[in-house]
């Protein structure tokens, strides 16, 4: 079964608008971490934001925020005031376990391609 | 600027060749990983290593092996390349802290003909 599900293969948004990229996850662990990465056309994976399962507040990093709904097992990425440079693939990922060596694997979703238009 | 460097950006190899993909990190990270990325499938873990000379299979290890003789270097080996191994290969490293994600290399796009 998919551990990370991204149901939106592609999303379109106009410049300056906000956009939400969906991510749901499946785990039986109590302790886990959720990540979002951006992959521009150049190919490198850029870390955007992190949310720990015990964090009570939603994570924010500049224009990025993570809408964490633990009971629903969702971790949606919200990008405010979209810019042309936000056009890229976006991956949601989950790390299970408490960070012990050997349990640091990230499991990735299939990604969402975001296109920002002028 | 901390870095994960993959030796080749693009590679074209013939079926049956032995292929080495090299990855070097300068962050003194314990953990290193190899993923392959295919359209519609996201990133899938091939192998990872949490210490020198240690390796663990990921989700899709068949047809691959790895080597980690030094902390900073993690090599992915395709013993006999096949066309279904045509893919983007991404190397990553991690310090092991809880809120640390991975630092990725720029990727190697391998084509097997």
């Amino acid at each position: 079964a998919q551990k990370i599900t991204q149901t939106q293969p592609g999303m379109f948004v106009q410049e300056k608008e906000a956009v939400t990229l969906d991510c749901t996850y499946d785990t039986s662990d109590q302790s886990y971490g959720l990540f979002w990465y951006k992959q521009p056309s150049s190919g490198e994976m850029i870390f955007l934001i992190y949310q720990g399962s015990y964090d009570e507040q939603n994570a924010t990093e500049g224009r990025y925020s993570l809408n964490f709904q633990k009971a629903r097992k969702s971790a949606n990425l919200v990008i405010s005031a979209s810019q042309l440079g936000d056009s890229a693939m976006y991956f949601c990922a989950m790390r299970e376990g408490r960070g012990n060596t050997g349990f640091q694997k990230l499991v990735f979703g299939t990604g969402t391609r975001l296109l920002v238009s002028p | 600027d901390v870095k994960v460097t993959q030796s080749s950006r693009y590679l074209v190899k013939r079926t049956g060749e032995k292929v080495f993909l090299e990855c070097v990190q300068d962050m003194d990270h314990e953990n290193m990983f190899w993923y392959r990325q295919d359209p519609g499938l996201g990133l899938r873990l091939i192998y990872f290593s949490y210490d020198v000379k240690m390796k663990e299979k990921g989700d899709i290890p068949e047809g691959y092996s790895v080597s980690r003789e030094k902390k900073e270097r993690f090599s992915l080996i395709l013993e006999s390349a096949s066309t279904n191994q045509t893919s983007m290969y991404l190397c990553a490293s991690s310090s092991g802290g809880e809120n640390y994600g991975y630092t990725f290399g720029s990727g190697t796009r391998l084509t097997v003909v």
Side-chain angles (χ1 to χ4, degrees):
Chain A
Q2 282 272 20
K3 290 205 166 187
I4 295 286
T5 302
Q6 295 180 255
T7 57
Q8 306 155 314
M11 288 285 284
F12 294 89
V13 67
Q14 278 207 304
E15 212 176 356
K16 299 187 178 68
E17 300 285 316
V19 63
T20 297
L21 305 184
D22 293 342
C23 173
T24 58
Y25 60 91
D26 181 25
T27 182
S28 56
D29 279 10
Q30 296 302 307
S31 174
Y32 51 89
L34 296 154
F35 300 79
W36 277 92
Y37 283 84
K38 173 184 178 180
Q39 187 182 43
S41 56
S42 55
E44 77 270 28
M45 296 281 282
I46 302 166
F47 167 69
L48 294 179
I49 197 166
Y50 167 81
Q51 179 86 41
S53 58
Y54 292 118
D55 295 340
E56 293 186 353
Q57 291 200 325
N58 287 344
T60 60
E61 290 285 348
R63 294 185 300 111
Y64 305 109
S65 61
L66 201 153
N67 184 3
F68 181 46
Q69 298 188 44
K70 197 170 182 177
R72 298 179 63 181
K73 293 190 175 178
S74 75
N76 299 339
L77 177 70
V78 180
I79 306 175
S80 61
S82 297
Q83 302 171 355
L84 296 179
D86 293 335
S87 294
M89 279 290 282
Y90 288 81
F91 289 97
C92 179
M94 177 175 65
R95 187 208 70 233
E96 293 180 294
R98 260 241 176 235
N100 293 325
T101 301
F103 296 95
Q104 269 263 292
K105 294 177 287 184
L106 287 188
V107 178
F108 286 82
T110 53
T112 295
R113 184 169 297 281
L114 177 66
L115 185 61
V116 181
S117 59
Chain B
D1 197 16
V2 293
K3 268 191 174 178
V4 176
T5 303
Q6 293 183 231
S7 54
S8 303
R9 191 79 174 91
Y10 298 95
L11 273 181
V12 180
K13 296 292 181 180
R14 295 194 180 277
T15 302
E17 274 194 79
K18 190 169 186 176
V19 181
F20 292 85
L21 302 183
E22 305 288 344
C23 175
V24 177
Q25 52 98 0
D26 64 1
M27 296 165 285
D28 202 35
H29 283 171
E30 288 81 18
N31 305 328
M32 296 188 75
F33 307 83
W34 275 106
Y35 285 86
R36 66 176 280 177
Q37 181 183 0
D38 301 288
L41 297 177
L43 279 73
R44 293 178 293 166
L45 182 64
I46 305 171
Y47 266 96
F48 67 101
S49 168
Y50 53 87
D51 201 353
V52 175
K53 297 191 186 293
M54 305 301 288
K55 59 186 178 184
E56 293 282 344
K57 292 180 180 178
D59 299 318
I60 51 163
E62 296 79 18
Y64 303 95
S65 62
V66 290
S67 172
R68 192 161 182 208
E69 296 295 320
K70 293 185 178 181
K71 191 175 186 180
E72 66 269 20
R73 185 180 297 270
F74 192 37
S75 303
L76 180 69
I77 304 156
L78 286 67
E79 295 289 343
S80 177
S82 63
T83 54
N84 63 14
Q85 292 178 309
T86 292
S87 186
M88 169 73 98
Y89 290 86
L90 290 161
C91 175
S93 71
S94 168
S95 66
E98 279 197 19
N99 64 342
Y100 275 84
Y102 294 178
T103 301
F104 281 86
S106 299
T108 295
R109 188 166 293 282
L110 173 68
T111 302
V112 183
V113 298

